[in-house]
Amino acid sequence: MRNYYIAGNWKMHKTVAESVALAKALVAELGSCGERVMIAPAFTALSAVADVVKGSRIVLGAQNMGPDLQGAHTGEISPLMLKDLGVTAVILGHSERRHSYLETDALINKKVLLALAQGLEPILCVGETLEERESGRLEAVVGAQVREGLKGVDAAALGKVTIAYEPVWAIGTGKTATPEDADAVHAYIRKVLAGLYGEAAAKAMCIQYGGSVKAENAAELMAKPNIDGALVGGASLKAESFGPIAKFRS
Ligand code: 13P
């Protein structure tokens, strides 16, 4: 039976106290959840949330990191700083970083390589805009994001990487890709991965879906053969909505 990877991206929400309260509620709610669960609070709340999730089944993630270990990089956060707080996973290349902060595939690739070198498990986000989808460029765009994002990642390190397919038009809009549409893109991503690393490695990869995932659609999405988990935004901000997503099988 597959083990799903359900991650909550809290984005730019919650004070430290609010983050601690949500983390405590999730630790209580998800004690018996069989899936792999990760939460990614804001940087400012990582330390406090680390204390809450320590010893629980919940993995602590960051929403981003800088591409360097240390030095004169005002405003950036190093993987060393994340590890220091107990962070073990990091979301990289989210579409909000690509579009609002103009992060390129080359920059994201540098971060992926640095995260892996530092023993952090990256979630590499990919996804097309509505305009790219409607103009028939979905596969070209997503394929390039996967190939460029993984450049220089060797087969041994690949197992530490998760890919999150998040169609930009489905993020925060209430529009979910249909399970069939999402699964078709996941299958394409797996084909790209097979071309790079072989069939077996591609089959073993975890590919999450993200974009308006809710308790109501989680089971239907997860039932698809190529969907191995979810990267959840809005619905991860409350235990009452994230809990049932993580426990979609029970
Ligand atoms: P929503 O679940 O709010 O659509 O956000 C998805 C997302 O961007 C997760 O990284």
Side-chain angles (χ1 to χ4, degrees):
M1 190 158 51
R2 273 194 294 177
N3 190 9
Y4 291 84
Y5 183 11
I6 311 293
N9 174 7
W10 295 2
K11 305 192 180 182
M12 198 174 73
H13 294 286
K14 298 195 182 287
T15 62
V16 174
E18 289 165 350
S19 301
V20 165
L22 176 55
K24 281 184 178 165
L26 291 173
V27 167
E29 169 95 14
L30 298 177
S32 59
C33 173
E35 317 305 342
R36 181 165 192 237
V37 179
M38 181 271 259
I39 53 175
F43 288 131
T44 48
L46 282 172
S47 178
V49 171
D51 289 340
V52 177
V53 299
K54 195 179 269 172
S56 81
R57 304 194 61 267
I58 298 178
V59 169
L60 186 63
Q63 299 173 19
N64 184 29
M65 65 174 218
D68 299 283
L69 266 191
Q70 58 191 3
H73 303 288
T74 302
E76 286 294 352
I77 302 281
S78 153
L80 297 175
M81 298 164 183
L82 297 178
K83 288 199 299 184
D84 192 33
L85 298 180
V87 169
T88 57
V90 60
I91 300 168
L92 297 174
H94 192 280
S95 68
E96 288 149 17
R97 306 267 353 143
R98 291 178 188 266
H99 295 284
S100 304
Y101 303 98
L102 307 182
E103 291 200 4
T104 62
D105 284 321
L107 176 66
I108 295 160
N109 176 241
K110 194 175 171 195
K111 294 183 185 191
V112 168
L113 293 173
L114 184 63
L116 288 170
Q118 288 300 314
L120 292 173
E121 300 194 353
I123 296 179
L124 170 63
C125 302
V126 301
E128 82 290 358
T129 63
L130 191 58
E131 195 270 312
E132 287 163 343
R133 173 176 276 253
E134 287 179 345
S135 61
R137 288 183 291 142
L138 189 162
E139 292 194 351
V141 168
V142 170
Q145 289 172 340
V146 171
R147 273 188 284 269
E148 297 299 314
L150 294 178
K151 211 169 240 178
V153 173
D154 60 28
L158 188 71
K160 299 285 179 203
V161 180
T162 296
I163 306 275
Y165 169 59
E166 299 202 310
V168 178
W169 48 271
I171 296 176
T173 58
K175 285 186 202 152
T176 321
T178 64
E180 292 69 30
D181 280 350
D183 193 57
V185 183
H186 284 225
Y188 175 71
I189 291 170
R190 233 181 265 290
K191 195 170 120 189
V192 172
L193 292 168
L196 294 171
Y197 297 98
E199 290 287 343
K203 203 164 170 232
M205 278 295 283
C206 172
I207 307 178
Q208 295 173 323
Y209 170 77
S212 299
V213 175
K214 304 177 207 66
E216 298 76 49
N217 58 24
E220 209 188 346
L221 286 160
M222 299 307 125
K224 290 293 170 192
N226 286 291
I227 301 181
D228 308 310
L231 181 53
V232 186
S236 72
L237 295 173
K238 286 187 181 154
E240 308 86 78
S241 44
F242 190 62
I245 295 174
K247 295 201 287 192
F248 73 95
R249 278 204 265 203
S250 53

